Structure formats: C-alpha cells, structure tokens
Amino acid sequence: MSRRATAGGGSRRSGRSADPGDTVPAIMSNSTAMLCVGLAVSKVLGAFLAHAALVRYHLPEPLFLGVALVAASAVLLVLQQPWRAKESRSLTPTRMRRVALGGLLQAVTLGAWMAGLRSSGPLRSFLVEGAEVPLLYLFAVATSRDLPSKKKTRGALLMLLGYLLLMYDASGRMAKHVERFRHTRLGHKADELTNATKHHIVHGLHELDQLRQAHHAVPQYDKATFQNTTAR
C-alpha cells in the first residue's frame, strides 16, 4: 500500500500517471550491455583456448574446425529449432543450396582465421579483425561513379597499410630485412645518425646533472646571515 501511495503521489506531483514500462529500457540496456561484455570476454577466452589447442597441444586444424562447428551447430539447432518453422520458412532446395554455400564460405573463413591464429597469435588476430572494411570501401569506390571522400579514402588506405604492416611483422621477416638494411650504405648512415643523436642526448643529460650538482653545492644563506654580513 505504501508503495502504491508513494507511486501515486509521485505521479500526481509530476503531472502524469506512473507507467510501469518506464523502467524497461534501463533494464534492457543494462542486460544488453552485460550480454555484450560477456560475449566479448567469451570471444577472447575462446581465442586464447583455440591458440593453446592448436599450438601447445598440436591439434590438427580440420579436427578442431569440425569439433567447433559441430558444437556451434548443436547450440544453434537447440536455440532456433528449424524443424518447427512454418511452411513459408522451411528449407527448400534453393535455401539449402544457399545454406551450403554460406557454410562453405564460413568454413574457408574459419580455416584462414585458424591459420592466422596459429602463426600470429591471438592478439594479432584480434587486431586484424575488420580488415575487410577498407577493402570493401575501396571496392565500392572503384565500382561507383560518385566522387569518393578524400578523408574516408585516406583513412581506408592508412588502415590497409596498418594491416599490411601488422601481417608483415607477424610473418617474422622484419628482423631479417632490418639486418640486411643495416649492412647497406643507407643503413650505415642511419646508424651513424642514431649514434650521434644518442651521444648528443647523453652528453646533454650529463651536463644537466653537473649543473644540478653544482647548484646543490653552493651554500644557501638565509636572510639573517646576509644582514649580519652586510652589517660588518
């Protein structure tokens, strides 16, 4: 009774009737946020577990892919229950072909992802996610007659360059190429410039340390000592 009275009084003071559905969006937003966080954490844990299974336990990729797809398919079958679908949504031969083609593309995508996960690790695999966005944008620009945006094109090219550098770093060839570059004439000049800059910075820091020590070595006179000295 007290709650109803409070709710009624609050609704009269606010000038409108209390609606029980006002709190639904907040609950839905909180639950959605918790669901997104849970999915993200599960994705990260799954990637690290998959990397451990592929690298540490040397599980074959086809076997791992089959187990993962069978488990995911079982969960989706339980959730979606396609056998209870209406006649208009049943799996016709045309839809079966589409499902088979989509499954084949998904299997190829997962195979490529597992190969990258094995060779590059989970962190680089997460960084490479979304690499299709600049490719799709550049493809749209190439096939469209409209003038592309300079900012979007520049951003897509920079993203693509970043992904290429990430893949180049993950390939393990960077150390070899850097060592080869150091033996060239330009590499020697770069080493000389780096050493000169390092020596200049060290020399400047040494001079600053000497100035600091000299400043602390100077005796600090207070006001009374200064007045006695001037009086004499």
Side-chain angles (χ1 to χ4, degrees), residues 139-191:
F139 178 76
V141 168
T143 56
S144 178
R145 296 182 179 179
D146 298 334
L147 293 177
S149 175
K150 293 183 179 180
K151 294 182 179 180
K152 292 182 179 180
T153 305
R154 191 184 305 116
L157 291 176
L158 289 177
M159 287 180 63
L160 187 60
L161 179 61
Y163 287 129
L164 291 176
L165 290 176
L166 186 64
M167 295 172 62
Y168 173 66
D169 177 61
S171 63
R173 301 177 181 177
M174 181 176 290
K176 297 179 181 179
H177 292 172
V178 170
E179 189 64 26
R180 292 179 182 176
F181 174 76
R182 293 184 62 183
H183 293 289
T184 60
R185 184 176 180 181
L186 184 61
H188 289 302
K189 290 184 178 181
D191 286 340

Side-chain angles (χ1 to χ4, degrees), residues 47-48 50-65 110-125 170:
F48 276 92
H51 182 261
L54 292 172
V55 176
R56 183 176 300 178
Y57 299 103
H58 304 285
L59 192 67
E61 294 182 4
L63 178 61
F64 179 81
L65 181 61
L110 288 176
W113 182 79
M114 283 192 303
L117 182 66
R118 181 191 289 273
S119 61
S120 304
L123 294 179
R124 289 191 180 97
S125 299

Side-chain angles (χ1 to χ4, degrees), residues 23-65:
T23 58
V24 173
I27 297 175
M28 292 298 292
S29 61
N30 292 333
S31 60
T32 304
M34 293 179 63
L35 179 61
C36 293
V37 172
L39 290 176
V41 173
S42 301
K43 185 178 181 180
V44 172
L45 292 177
F48 276 92
L49 291 176
H51 182 261
L54 292 172
V55 176
R56 183 176 300 178
Y57 299 103
H58 304 285
L59 192 67
E61 294 182 4
L63 178 61
F64 179 81
L65 181 61

